Amino acid sequence: MKLYNTLARKKEEFIPANGNNVSMYVCGITAYDLCHIGHARSSVVFDVLFRYLRFKGYDVTFIRNFTDIDDKIIKRANEVGKDTKEIAEQFIGEFYVDMDKLAVLRADVEPKCTEHIAEMIALTTRLIEKGNAYSTLSGDVYFKVRSFEGYGKLSGRNIDELESGARVRPGDEKLDPLDFALWKNAKPDEPSWESPWGMGRPGWHLECSAMSEKYAPLPLDIHGGGQDLAFPHHENEIAQSEADTGKPFANYWVHNGFVQINSEKMSKSIGNFFTIRDILDKFLPETLRYFLLTMHYRSPLDFSFDALEEAEKGIKRIYSALAQADVELTKSKWKKSPFPEELITELAEIEKHWNEAMEDDMNTAGALGHVFSAIRLAGRVSEDKNLRKSEGGRDLFTRIKADMAAWGTVLGIFECDPVEFLTELRDNRAARAGIDPAKVQGLLDARKEARANKDFEKSDAIRDELAAMNVEVKDTPTGATWDVQ
Ligand SMILES: [Zn+2]
């Protein structure tokens, strides 16, 4: 598999350092608020990478941390009069609610910062001993950026350019404006822990270095996160860990692109901002997950409700095709008529292309394109009255269903029962259109009764009423079904 490595600035063949074992560390959330669409993207992207590596047969150790102490958590705790632990626990709980809905799997290890203070103090102590860090009179500890030669290598920044842009805030006791905090001395009314430098708390960058080292052998195979974390967070992690161990920190650095809202940068202050909850109030979680995978993970993703509605049409087509395949496969008798070999070859090509797309830097957008090729192929067989009844047709439907199941395991979509999903999707669309499914069902029942009584005037009136509600009725051999127009 090829992965784009931010450190190398190119796609590289992915070769784990320890044979079949893969270690993957992804920076998790700072637990002080509900997750937004940017978190959804990053979580889904790395969830698919995790699923795909497992699908390929690797034994993956996936580590995703929770930052449960930080300026933002302290600020939030003070605003609402709770302690920081309560705030962090609350929003870790909310994170799980959202991620479970989005079918994001739990990581193997989900360490919290406050449970690794000892490891962080030990790392800081080693860095001081090695001459890469220093403590100040007031009890802060800083990493001495110029003591680490490779600083800037991940983000491609030159240390002298960084120097000219760096600022020292009043009260800072940094020796150099570039230096960053490993340990912060305790401020009044802030949570703090005992350390060799007095009471204080760790700086944000420190936790990922300390926890990576604890839960995986270094170098990590994959270190991931959103593109916004590459500098300074990941650059600082590299400096801390590599200065400490003298070994590379991670072999492949994988970053997902930004989410934009209506082509603009997402920003709370201009109201250009959506939490996952805001979106799931209107759309099904699987629609959102599907939407997030329709773009390559490194491209910027432009979010809008219109784009989400387009994605909804896509997921509906996929499930409709799966439902149709199930209908075809309920037949009990199959004809031994000849089946065109080229259709089987075509499916084999589609399977190959799906694989190639995923192998090429996890191109989920490309892979979804091949999913549509497979369902179009199934559709062509369904439309041919001879092929659909033949044993060859049965084998093709069965194989496409098996492919879809395997692909669904990797992408984390189309794993539901098709009929149940399509009903759920219809009701979701109905809710957005202000249509009450119970009312529609009542009208359909009344219509059925009117027809049975040959009261066609009444049944026509009911049909008109449904049409005026934007409800489309389809009469099938097993009864009337409906959808939102
Ligand atoms: Zn991190």
Side-chain angles (χ1 to χ4, degrees), residues 453-464:
N453 298 334
K454 306 222 180 312
D455 185 351
F456 297 113
E457 205 173 309
K458 187 173 179 192
S459 78
D460 285 354
I462 294 172
R463 191 196 55 207
D464 292 347

Side-chain angles (χ1 to χ4, degrees), residues 24-26 28 47 50 61-68 89 92 95-96 99-100 104-116 207 211 215:
M24 174 160 112
Y25 186 103
V26 176
D47 182 61
F50 178 38
T61 303
F62 178 22
I63 308 157
R64 183 180 53 214
N65 68 306
F66 286 113
T67 298
D68 60 349
E89 289 302 327
I92 288 171
F95 169 85
Y96 283 133
M99 295 304 144
D100 289 350
V104 170
L105 302 175
R106 303 287 162 109
D108 298 297
V109 191
E110 300 189 329
K112 291 174 190 156
C113 175
T114 59
E115 291 169 6
H116 296 80
E207 66 185 275
M211 299 193 287
Y215 295 107

